[in-house]
Amino acid sequence: MSKEVIVVRGNNTLAGEVQASGAKNSALKLMAAALLGQGASVIRNVPDISDIAVMSEVLQRLGAVVDRDGHAMSVDTSNVDKFDTPYELVSKMRASISVLGPLIGRFGKAMVAMPGGCQIGARKIDMHLVGLESLGVEFEVDHGTLIASTPHGLHGANVTLEFPSVGATENMLMAAVVAEGDTVIENAAREPEIADLCEMLNSMGARIEGHGSSSIRVEGVPLGDMHPCEHTTVGDRVESGTFLVGGAVTGGPVTVRGITPDFLRMAIVKLQAMGCDVECGDDWITVSRSGPLKPADIQTLPHPGFPTDLQAQFMLLASLADGMSIITENVFENRFMFAAELMRLGADIALEDHHAFIRGVKGLEGAPVSSTDLRAGATLVLAGIVADGHTVVHDIHHIDRGYENYCEKLQALGADVERRAE
Ligand code: UD1
């Protein structure tokens, strides 16, 4: 397959309506959760993106039958008889480790390759392991593979996470639902995708309360009480936030439908602080701007704080604001690689440790740039839309990991963007 680039013609405005896809970070875990209910679960509103294809491969390798019909996906786990996920899959997508919790729940054991370091920081899994160990799981590492066993069964426990890690909360939840006794996870992650996962687990027979708060209580049920279910994935707040930034940076108005505005509370506060008008309904958000962009101070934090997955997009806004903005990255180390690409387009950014100091410039100029990760890639396309001249965005396989039909959606908003062979 030849590599592709996205060619963007600039000096453009985005305006109109766009439908949010289902949340990538939810759907991946909902697919893993299906392992706990023997039979065919149906998950709706699943985005058609390459990360979902990798999770389908992970499940198929375990023996599941995965079928897609548009955005509906059936995951039949009746004949799952394997419990290992090899490095070739974990190295393609780190979120493959989300099968660890449900495999332990289903088989009492699992073998999952250790994820390597990741471009956006060390991304350790120590909290996943500490959390699962408190439920009775024992781990060994053999030639890069994590081997989990439960010689004394799975039992409930009270656990306080050191940091509200999304992945650790999810892996613990998917084992705790079938542990003997009750589990309480304190300092649990509060991301909307966690609540979505708990809703699905509850429709499969689990007994979880408090999801959406930092204290989640689980009353363990026997594995045999878990059954398949039908569930609809929540809208993708990061994809939605990306289109809202597209509206904000070009003036808009851009309306995103299929998204719960509350999921984007802090991003909306920052859009308003930066001079945008934002209107919300039950499941839509509209952004527009008539005055200049104002600078802002933004710190990424676990939900409901400002999401790290919108940091690059807001760096683009800040780079065109009237004054100096400061962005502080608190969730991942090393998540400023994007800044160098934005500087190629003329942005004025100084990095110091986990702070970025962004002095707004009058305009950006088109140039060849590379996607350093999926959010950076999507943002570089937006930067190209507002820049003067042509921008060519390379390494767009990153964008395909998390954005369904990104070019088509942008074209419908009036962008002049096109995929081409490199
Ligand atoms: C998920 C999201 C990702 C998002 C992130 C934070 C998916 C597939 N990905 O990633 O898009 O940016 O939440 O909202 O859902 N950490 C440890 N030890 C651990 C676990 C985490 O040190 O055991 C650290 C990580 O290195 C990172 C921070 O905690 O610096 C946050 O990680 P976590 O919340 O676990 O994010 P992910 O689940 O990997």
Side-chain angles (χ1 to χ4, degrees), residues 41 45 177:
S41 286
N45 202 25
V177 288

Side-chain angles (χ1 to χ4, degrees), residues 2-8 338 341 344-345 366-381 390-400 406 418-422:
S2 69
K3 276 175 89 180
E4 287 184 310
V5 293
I6 296 179
V7 179
V8 189
F338 164 73
E341 295 305 305
R344 290 179 52 72
L345 301 178
V369 282
S370 292
S371 310
T372 50
D373 71 34
L374 79 162
R375 307 305 170 192
T379 306
L380 287 168
V381 176
H390 282 203
T391 294
V392 180
V393 182
H394 295 260
D395 293 328
I396 63 169
H397 60 278
H398 286 296
I399 301 177
D400 296 334
Y406 193 48
E418 186 187 357
R419 288 176 81 108
R420 276 202 205 145
E422 194 163 36

